[in-house]
Amino acid sequence: RQSAPEGVKGPRVPATPFHCCARAAAAAPGGTMMKFRFRRQGNDPQREKVKQELFAFNKTVEHGFPNQPSALAFDPKLRIMAIGTKSGAVKIYGAPGVEFTGLHKETATVTQMHFLPGQGRLLSLLDDNTLHLWEIYQKDGCSHLEETRSFALPGRPGFENTNSLPSVMRVTVILLLASCELAGLGTEGGSVYFLELPSLKLLEAKTLLQDEIMRSVPDDYRCGKALGPVESLQEHPQAASQILIGYSRGLLVIWNPSTRCVEHLFLGNQQLESLSWERSGQSIVSSHSDGGYMVWSINESCLTSSQAVMSTIPYGPFPCKAINKIQWRTCSSGNHFIVFSGGMPRASYGDRHCVTVLQGKALVTLDFTSRVIDFFTVCSTEAEEAYDDLSALVVLVEEELVVIDLQTPGWPTIPAPYLAPLHSSAITCAYHISNVPLKLWERIISAGEQQNPQLSSVGDVLSSWPINGGRNVAQEPTQRGLLLTGHEDGTVRFWDASGVSLKPLYKLGTARIFQTDCEHDGVTQGGEEEWPPFHKVGCFDPYSDDPRLGIQKIALCKYSGRMAVAGTAGQVLLMELSDEKSDREISIATMDLLQDREGFTWKGHDRLTPRNGPIHFPPGFQPSILLQCMPPAAVTAVTLHSEWNLVAFGTSHGFGLFDYHRRNPVLARCTLHPNDSLAMEGPLSRVKSLKKSLRQSFRRIRKSRVSGKKRVTTSSPSSKLQEANAQLAEQAGPHELEMTPVQRRIEPRSADDSLSGVVRCLYFADTFLRDAAHHGPTMWAGTNSGSVFAYALEVPPWEKFSEHAVEAVLGKEIQLMHRAPVVSIAVLDGRGNPLPEPYEVSQDLAKAPDMQGSHSVLIASEEQFKVFTLPKVSAKTKFKLTAHEGCRVRRVALANFVSAVSEDYMENCLVCLTNLGDIHVFSMPGLRPQVRYDCIRKEDISGIASCVFTKYGQGFYLISPSEFERFSLSARNITEPLCLVEFKRPQDTYLSNSVTGSPKSKQANGTHMMQNSDVHHLLADEGSSTEALSPVSLDSPSNSIETVPDSTGDITVEEVRDFLSSSEETEKNVKNTAEAQSPGVFIK
């Protein structure tokens, strides 16, 4: 049996089985019905054209902070910044909306990056010791980024294949000379090589070997010791003919490349880490491994200097960690700046991540919550200026970018207009709202500005933001989009997702409502007498006071400003938006979802204890009611209907309905099966259960392999048929032979599966449930065991809300016989359109639904979609996704697609994301497949679990703990970076003037891919080889399963089973995209 019938039961409608018509069709004379059923329809050219105008898949932009950053660069002339990552990505940022992304062919860590100032060129060094040149070019009024050249230093003869470290040819430091015509490469072996720019040709005649330097070193300094690797290369700020070379042993050399002679020696004996010139070129500052720094003065009358002018260990006298990087910047006010990273006392503060800013006697220790990667200072770039006049300090740490304003007293941080760390606390859920009304938008922004006064003047923030190069040429967004993220620490963050830059608007905290073990807000800055004088900066906070605070589900009504926020310990907070601060007590209501069932004992965590008395709340969303589910299991579904003043919520034990106007419960229903023992264990006590499920999974795999072998040995007709089918599949690929899809058998799930009572979805609708003549409010609930409960609600008129209570009566109960979890429920009106949201019709914001024709309900399970007529609940149409495609549904949404040709033509479609990471679009209500796209790697369980669709054909999913990938399924509704960076290059002969525009580039999990036609314009200079660019690997470190984000609230046991199960069946159903991927890197 390929599918099992569904049954309907309820007090008003007798249980009626729905049967498939396959047998009747088979028994029909001549088998005409059977032929029709399996006949493949031909392609309608007109429909194909309409589909091209409606649907198009693009991965458009990555929101958030780059995962695992490893390198930083800044162009002071163009005022653009580059960040490199461990996965080989290069991201360039300028003014808000100015973004470029590229990916190296090799999945290797970017260790260093350097801009050629003012030229729109970037030189990157990977940890495989290769150099790559990136260039920004213009086409069709927009700028684009591409890689044009690569170079690797030739290894020593006989040493090419050795694994001995350190390699003498490994590049340790890069210097771009001010002329931008030469680049110096310092190596592990102590040699300095020079490359011609931009051709990346090695100039062997200019090579400086360490032996040449050793000839000038005094005999007593040599002592038979090598100078070590080159740690720093710095060009003289006034005399371009002099280069400062620093060796690991501590020797500093001023070298003249034109005369090839040593002009000065500084005989340091402490292991060197970093060097910096003073602007006039008269002094040098060096930092060392002992946590100290030295100032050296250049005495032209003497060739060697053995003593520094000043030597200090700022955080001594006890042993300190190395100062990794130091910069000296002069100031017209007289007090110069010294900025350095590291140097903390090893014993007491060795685990702190700090950057120190020293000006005169003022010293501030900037304390970050993650490791410092690199920093740069923003200062005057005019050569004729006598002083640096430092304006800002930009620090890249592992989890965020922090900009310090050094011109304002107190040195405050500048709020970032982009690159906000989405994961300042781990993301646990996401929720998107399209077409936000202007009134709500302004109120949320106002609440955010009062929360953070620095955001109150957006113009001031943008004017003080130092990375402001280029300009955004994209059109202003036509609608306001709001992305809400729930976090592990109990916060909900509101983001402006209307355009390319994801801007923070407002942060809502729920922890203050409860009594937690440790009050995290009590962490204070370092006192005046504390040494070092720590100053906490940045907003990344990986620690959570209590894991029970984690946000699991969010529902927001954009017309009334009411919101429901549900958490891990069964808490549901009803909130309303207020423009004034208030002190209020929160009403607490407890709802027992077990309904006094015997034999169940909750073994999980306790509920959160609410605070007593009034609580002060700032302007913004303020809670009015706390609903506490008992047992306090994580909330798995929540929905809100502000017009009826109702909120529905579900857990692994059941669901409830609450009237928040009268503040009394309406309904509580237990969905537990007698064998649901797993549901009584909380997520914090799942060790034994996880072991049990893993053991069962491996037993199932072993059993299937054994039974598979037995089936092969038999000589039954079915096994011969399978062998023939396998041979046929090997002979003809999917493009060569078009076959009728074969339905896979769906195994009915056992009724006593653990976690079968989990409520997966809740839905409110005004529709026909009791009879075809009267429509009214209804509530629908779907569970993990394939059960659907439909309740008719008696909601009094608005003027009688206070007098009459809301009542709920069970109208229908549907049981899907294959017992697949119900993912989504939606009611369609007489025209097959989704019902409007609350208040949309009453405020004339949407057309009234068709109440004349018969309504229908779409029930989407993990295995199939089915449309039933209402109120009879008879099967109308269905599509068996698992049977046809071999995949399971993970995310479902109804989306509106507008034609790219005409605004007047639009279609409502069903969008579905599967466990294989592909997206299917179906017509409504006919459920005809329209398009299918590969979106997320099937191994990326967390990316699939985090996906959220928008109402107009876009979507977001996490490609790392800190980044959302944005994609579009609509040919019209696309949000992508369109920007322009203007500059003049001294020569531009290596790029063809006939650069052809590229179609929207393919990507995979944030990896930007490029079509075959996009590489034709990558031309090279004479004498340099033009190598074909190899396809980008999909398995970059940033996309690997090892870097799973903490958004595991929606990962089910079924997803883990899918991942553990054999991939043989899956491979047959997944199209191999590798053949279609073309070489190269390109971003539009």
Side-chain angles (χ1 to χ4, degrees):
R1 184 173 59 178
Q2 294 177 350
S3 64
E6 280 76 25
V8 179
K9 56 184 178 179
R12 297 182 180 272
V13 179
T16 307
F18 300 115
H19 293 284
C20 179
C21 62
R23 294 178 184 174
T32 54
M33 289 289 289
M34 199 66 169
K35 287 182 181 178
F36 173 78
R37 185 183 175 202
F38 289 102
R39 188 170 59 227
R40 180 176 288 269
Q41 296 178 351
N43 291 333
D44 179 6
Q46 185 64 30
R47 180 59 192 168
E48 292 300 317
K49 182 182 177 183
V50 172
K51 285 200 289 189
Q52 290 179 6
E53 295 169 355
L54 289 172
F55 312 113
F57 179 73
N58 294 295
K59 291 188 179 180
T60 54
V61 66
E62 293 163 13
H63 294 304
F65 183 76
N67 186 44
Q68 297 182 311
S70 56
L72 179 69
F74 180 63
D75 187 332
K77 293 185 178 179
L78 297 182
R79 301 189 65 93
I80 55 178
M81 172 187 70
I83 295 177
T85 71
K86 288 185 178 180
S87 61
V90 173
K91 296 170 180 281
I92 296 180
Y93 302 93
V98 177
E99 293 185 18
F100 305 96
T101 303
L103 192 73
H104 289 90
K105 293 170 288 183
E106 304 81 5
T107 306
T109 299
V110 181
T111 55
Q112 293 184 49
M113 293 192 300
H114 301 269
F115 276 105
L116 279 67
Q119 294 192 16
R121 293 182 178 134
L122 176 72
L123 195 62
S124 62
L125 172 68
L126 304 186
D127 65 354
D128 63 1
N129 212 37
T130 58
L131 284 163
H132 302 261
L133 185 67
W134 295 83
E135 300 189 352
I136 298 173
Y137 74 96
Q138 294 181 16
K139 178 66 178 177
D140 297 332
C142 294
S143 296
H144 309 267
L145 178 69
E146 66 178 0
E147 179 188 345
T148 55
R149 273 179 186 70
S150 63
F151 170 82
L153 274 175
R156 276 172 48 182
F159 285 82
E160 288 85 349
N161 298 320
T162 61
N163 294 322
S164 58
L165 290 175
S167 168
V168 293
M169 299 301 290
R170 177 169 291 278
V171 177
T172 56
V173 63
I174 299 174
L175 167 67
L176 295 185
L177 300 185
S179 63
C180 294
E181 295 176 356
L182 284 179
L185 310 179
T187 63
E188 288 273 6
S191 301
V192 180
Y193 298 87
F194 290 89
L195 296 181
E196 183 183 72
L197 295 176
S199 62
L200 297 188
K201 292 179 181 176
L202 180 63
L203 303 176
E204 297 185 9
K206 290 184 176 290
T207 300
L208 172 64
L209 301 177
Q210 194 177 102
D211 297 341
E212 201 168 340
I213 297 295
M214 290 293 282
R215 297 192 198 109
S216 304
V217 175
D219 293 339
D220 58 343
Y221 186 82
R222 294 182 194 175
C223 302
K225 296 179 181 178
L227 298 180
V230 177
E231 292 292 344
S232 184
L233 289 174
Q234 301 288 333
E235 187 179 19
H236 195 291
Q238 305 299 331
S241 59
Q242 296 180 3
I243 296 176
L244 176 64
I245 306 172
Y247 292 94
S248 177
R249 183 178 159 188
L251 177 70
L252 313 183
V253 179
I254 296 180
W255 167 261
N256 191 324
S258 56
T259 61
R260 297 192 65 82
C261 65
V262 174
E263 298 198 351
H264 206 96
L265 290 172
F266 303 91
L267 306 178
N269 286 302
Q270 185 63 43
Q271 182 176 332
L272 182 72
E273 296 288 334
S274 175
L275 287 173
S276 178
W277 284 97
E278 183 263 335
R279 189 177 181 94
S280 66
Q282 298 301 311
S283 301
I284 298 165
V285 62
S286 62
S287 69
H288 301 275
S289 61
D290 63 348
Y293 66 86
M294 303 179 186
V295 177
W296 306 82
S297 180
I298 298 176
N299 186 354
E300 296 181 358
S301 62
C302 181
L303 176 65
T304 61
S305 300
S306 57
Q307 292 294 326
V309 175
M310 186 193 79
S311 178
T312 181
I313 300 178
Y315 297 110
F318 298 106
C320 294
K321 300 187 76 172
I323 293 179
N324 303 312
K325 180 177 180 177
I326 193 166
Q327 288 193 352
W328 183 343
R329 296 290 181 256
T330 58
C331 186
S332 56
S333 64
N335 291 326
H336 60 255
F337 281 91
I338 288 183
V339 185
F340 61 86
S341 60
M344 287 293 103
R346 190 176 293 275
S348 48
Y349 299 109
D351 58 343
R352 297 287 187 102
H353 312 289
C354 298
V355 172
T356 300
V357 182
L358 175 64
Q359 185 186 28
K361 294 184 178 180
L363 184 145
V364 172
T365 309
L366 303 174
D367 189 13
F368 300 91
T369 54
S370 56
R371 185 170 59 92
V372 176
I373 304 297
D374 199 357
F375 69 86
F376 64 82
T377 51
V378 181
C379 46
S380 173
T381 58
E382 300 300 327
E384 59 271 11
E385 294 288 338
Y387 300 98
D388 293 305
D389 283 333
L390 195 60
S391 61
L393 168 66
V394 180
V395 185
L396 175 68
V397 294
E398 206 163 32
E399 306 293 351
E400 60 186 321
L401 183 83
V402 179
V403 180
I404 309 294
D405 183 358
L406 296 178
Q407 291 182 319
T408 304
W411 297 342
T413 57
I414 303 174
Y418 50 82
L419 280 179
L422 302 173
H423 65 317
S424 50
S425 174
I427 296 175
T428 50
C429 67
Y431 182 76
H432 185 273
I433 306 162
S434 303
N435 266 347
V436 179
L438 180 60
K439 184 179 179 181
L440 176 67
W441 188 263
E442 291 175 343
R443 293 177 71 190
I444 291 174
I445 290 177
S446 174
E449 289 173 350
Q450 294 180 67
Q451 190 177 64
N452 186 356
Q454 288 179 300
L455 295 174
S456 59
S457 51
V458 178
D460 293 345
V461 171
L462 295 181
S463 63
S464 59
W465 182 250
I467 307 154
N468 54 11
R471 56 190 173 91
N472 182 14
V473 297
Q475 294 182 350
E476 283 295 314
T478 56
Q479 57 171 313
R480 291 169 291 275
L482 200 58
L483 180 67
L484 277 63
T485 53
H487 298 264
E488 191 179 45
D489 62 354
T491 57
V492 177
R493 287 171 166 84
F494 290 65
W495 308 89
D496 177 2
S498 311
V500 171
S501 298
L502 197 65
K503 304 170 191 171
L505 298 179
Y506 167 67
K507 183 173 88 169
L508 167 67
T510 62
R512 73 176 68 206
I513 301 164
F514 304 100
Q515 298 176 16
T516 53
D517 296 335
C518 55
E519 300 302 325
H520 206 55
D521 295 337
V523 176
T524 58
Q525 305 293 341
E528 292 182 6
E529 298 180 0
E530 183 184 358
W531 182 261
F534 289 116
H535 177 65
K536 283 277 186 186
V537 286
C539 61
F540 176 72
D541 184 5
Y543 306 106
S544 173
D545 292 350
D546 193 323
R548 296 174 296 174
L549 290 170
I551 306 299
Q552 294 295 325
K553 296 292 175 184
I554 304 169
L556 172 63
C557 174
K558 60 186 178 182
Y559 300 112
S560 65
R562 291 191 178 273
M563 182 166 69
V565 176
T568 306
Q571 72 271 28
V572 181
L573 286 163
L574 272 298
M575 300 189 170
E576 52 192 347
L577 185 57
S578 173
D579 299 325
E580 303 294 333
K581 60 185 179 181
S582 67
D583 294 274
R584 58 165 70 184
E585 285 197 37
I586 301 173
S587 300
I588 301 172
T590 303
M591 294 191 68
D592 180 16
L593 298 181
L594 288 182
Q595 295 293 288
D596 300 324
R597 283 236 192 148
E598 296 181 358
F600 288 99
T601 304
W602 173 247
K603 303 173 186 176
H605 49 253
D606 294 331
R607 59 181 286 183
L608 284 162
T609 306
R611 290 186 187 276
N612 298 320
I615 304 174
H616 176 75
F617 294 102
F621 283 94
Q622 300 173 353
S624 56
I625 301 174
L626 167 61
L627 281 173
Q628 181 61 57
C629 304
M630 295 303 290
V635 177
T636 56
V638 69
T639 188
L640 190 69
H641 200 295
S642 50
E643 211 166 357
W644 301 338
N645 292 327
L646 294 175
V647 61
F649 49 89
T651 70
S652 54
H653 306 125
F655 56 88
L657 182 64
F658 189 84
D659 177 355
Y660 58 79
H661 182 76
R662 291 173 56 90
R663 304 196 173 192
N664 69 314
V666 177
L667 166 72
R669 170 76 184 245
C670 181
T671 55
L672 280 178
H673 187 272
N675 295 337
D676 264 352
S677 59
L678 209 60
M680 303 311 294
E681 301 180 19
L684 308 180
S685 61
R686 288 287 303 280
V687 179
K688 293 182 179 179
S689 305
L690 183 60
K691 286 182 179 178
K692 181 180 177 183
S693 62
L694 288 172
R695 195 181 301 120
Q696 290 174 345
S697 299
F698 284 117
R699 283 176 181 169
R700 193 179 297 112
I701 293 170
R702 199 179 302 120
K703 184 179 178 181
S704 65
R705 286 174 178 168
V706 172
S707 59
K709 291 176 183 176
K710 289 179 181 178
R711 281 196 298 270
V712 172
T713 55
T714 60
S715 58
S716 63
S718 61
S719 65
K720 292 180 180 179
L721 180 62
Q722 289 174 1
E723 291 176 8
N725 286 339
Q727 293 176 1
L728 188 63
E730 290 176 3
Q731 293 172 3
H735 300 290
E736 300 169 16
L737 181 64
E738 189 175 284
M739 297 178 63
T740 303
V742 178
Q743 290 197 8
R744 291 165 27 132
R745 181 179 179 183
I746 301 177
E747 296 288 348
R749 305 185 187 207
S750 171
D752 61 353
D753 269 358
S754 55
L755 294 175
S756 63
V758 175
V759 177
R760 293 291 293 269
C761 58
L762 292 161
Y763 178 71
F764 286 115
D766 184 354
T767 187
F768 302 90
L769 186 63
R770 297 181 173 181
D771 55 61
H774 303 93
H775 64 87
T778 62
M779 187 199 77
W780 302 71
T783 72
N784 234 17
S785 59
S787 299
V788 177
F789 303 92
Y791 283 83
L793 306 178
E794 294 287 349
V795 179
W798 176 257
E799 60 274 7
K800 295 183 180 180
F801 254 117
S802 302
E803 303 173 15
H804 300 284
V806 177
E807 295 181 1
V809 180
L810 182 64
K812 297 284 188 296
E813 186 176 340
I814 306 170
Q815 176 62 58
L816 305 178
M817 296 307 289
H818 60 287
R819 298 186 179 276
V822 178
V823 180
S824 177
I825 300 171
V827 171
L828 309 175
D829 69 4
R831 291 187 288 265
N833 295 324
L835 299 183
E837 296 180 34
Y839 285 114
E840 275 192 331
V841 176
S842 60
Q843 297 185 10
D844 296 328
L845 299 168
K847 284 184 180 179
D850 182 4
M851 292 297 185
Q852 303 302 319
S854 61
H855 285 198
S856 54
V857 59
L858 166 68
I859 298 177
S861 75
E862 280 192 359
E863 296 180 356
Q864 66 182 21
F865 309 119
K866 201 157 190 176
V867 176
F868 297 92
T869 60
L870 289 177
K872 289 185 178 180
V873 194
S874 57
K876 188 176 180 181
T877 182
K878 65 181 175 182
F879 184 86
K880 298 180 181 179
L881 188 72
T882 303
H884 287 289
E885 304 291 339
C887 52
R888 288 183 178 171
V889 178
R890 286 291 174 260
R891 286 285 179 273
V892 166
L894 296 178
N896 181 266
F897 291 89
V898 182
S899 171
V901 176
S902 171
E903 290 185 16
D904 298 330
Y905 183 77
M906 62 185 67
E907 290 186 11
N908 289 306
C909 296
L910 176 69
V911 181
C912 153
L913 172 71
T914 74
N915 64 326
L916 301 182
D918 50 5
I919 292 178
H920 300 255
V921 180
F922 298 89
S923 64
M924 291 293 294
L927 296 181
R928 292 188 179 88
Q930 301 299 303
V931 288
R932 174 195 165 277
Y933 303 112
D934 293 316
C935 182
I936 311 174
R937 295 179 304 112
K938 64 177 182 292
E939 298 86 1
D940 188 2
I941 297 177
S942 292
I944 294 171
S946 65
C947 182
V948 56
F949 291 109
T950 76
K951 194 176 179 181
Y952 295 97
Q954 293 195 43
F956 304 82
Y957 70 92
L958 286 171
I959 55 173
S960 74
S962 59
E963 289 174 291
F964 271 113
E965 174 74 72
R966 187 175 190 141
F967 62 89
S968 175
L969 305 170
S970 168
R972 182 184 192 89
N973 188 14
I974 301 175
T975 303
E976 61 182 341
L978 297 173
C979 52
L980 184 64
V981 178
E982 297 176 308
F983 49 84
K984 291 184 179 179
R985 289 192 183 126
Q987 57 179 1
D988 228 356
T989 57
Y990 45 88
L991 262 183
S992 169
N993 291 326
S994 59
V995 175
T996 56
S998 154
K1000 173 53 68 175
S1001 52
K1002 280 190 179 181
Q1003 305 158 338
N1005 268 32
T1007 305
H1008 299 269
M1009 307 294 290
M1010 170 165 119
Q1011 306 292 338
N1012 288 328
S1013 60
D1014 299 333
V1015 294
H1016 296 319
H1017 66 276
L1018 303 182
L1019 303 177
D1021 276 341
E1022 290 183 273
S1024 64
S1025 62
T1026 57
E1027 298 180 0
L1029 302 174
S1030 62
V1032 180
S1033 170
L1034 298 182
D1035 299 320
S1036 63
S1038 67
N1039 299 329
S1040 69
I1041 197 73
E1042 295 172 5
T1043 57
V1044 169
D1046 294 331
S1047 61
T1048 55
D1050 288 335
I1051 296 181
T1052 65
V1053 176
E1054 290 300 325
E1055 289 171 345
V1056 179
R1057 288 176 182 168
D1058 291 341
F1059 187 68
L1060 291 174
S1061 63
S1062 173
S1063 60
E1064 294 177 2
E1065 283 188 333
T1066 319
E1067 291 299 326
K1068 296 178 183 178
N1069 296 283
V1070 181
K1071 292 184 178 179
N1072 186 7
T1073 57
E1075 297 177 1
Q1077 292 166 1
S1078 62
V1081 179
F1082 187 84
I1083 177 66
K1084 185 179 254 188

